[in-house]
Amino acid sequence: MSDTLFTKIINREIPADIIYEDDIALAFKDINPQAPVHFLVIPKKPIATINDISEEDRIAVGHLSFVAAKVAKEMGFAEEGYRTVMNCNEFGGQTVYHIHLHVLAGKLLGWPPYTNKPKTLE
Ligand code: 5GP
């Protein structure tokens, strides 16, 4: 796959507010936060969508949830609660084709999460 802007963030070619990094994953604040706390956890390996996760990626992708919880505990909102979500393709609302786990916290989050009328009903 071609590089997305998230590869550029991993390589420090464009700036981001990085809050966690290890060999497998990077976490940084979302540029357009949808909650008082909103950061993204991404694998360093570029994987375009959830559909492209291979057998060999399974541990790295599971690691994203581990990192989300680790950062949630360190930032102090783990017990209060938070939401993780990974969007897939157009109907899922994906706009950057390098998988990323959204972590949203700091307010009572509504359900269902979408605010627009579902496309299937248009
Ligand atoms: P998606 O819509 O693909 O699930 O989520 C992509 C997310 O990346 C969005 O929440 C968007 O605000 C965030 N984003 C897009 N460009 C940038 C950027 O240059 N820097 C950061 N930190 N976040 C970005």
Side-chain angles (χ1 to χ4, degrees), residues 5-6 9 14-16 28-32 38 40 87 93-96 100 102:
L5 60 99
F6 287 177
I9 288 175
I14 60 172
F28 54 91
K29 291 185 182 171
D30 196 291
I31 204 167
N32 183 24
H38 185 181
L40 307 173
N87 299 325
Q94 185 172 8
T95 58
V96 179
H100 45 281
H102 292 261

Side-chain angles (χ1 to χ4, degrees), residues 36-119:
V37 176
H38 185 181
F39 62 87
L40 307 173
V41 189
I42 68 171
K44 287 191 168 172
K45 176 181 176 181
I47 301 166
T49 78
I50 298 173
N51 296 331
D52 301 300
I53 295 168
S54 67
E55 293 260 333
E56 69 176 27
D57 297 329
R58 290 182 300 169
I59 290 174
V61 173
H63 185 66
L64 304 181
S65 291
F66 174 81
V67 170
K70 179 176 171 59
V71 175
K73 289 170 195 164
E74 286 171 2
M75 290 178 71
F77 61 82
E79 290 307 315
E80 194 174 64
Y82 55 99
R83 178 170 298 157
T84 64
V85 61
M86 194 180 283
N87 299 325
C88 184
N89 281 337
E90 183 187 358
F91 274 28
Q94 185 172 8
T95 58
V96 179
Y97 283 79
H98 178 139
I99 60 167
H100 45 281
L101 193 64
H102 292 261
V103 182
L104 299 133
K107 70 174 184 181
L108 190 59
L109 298 163
W111 191 265
Y114 55 80
T115 52
N116 300 324
K117 193 165 63 170
K119 259 196 172 172

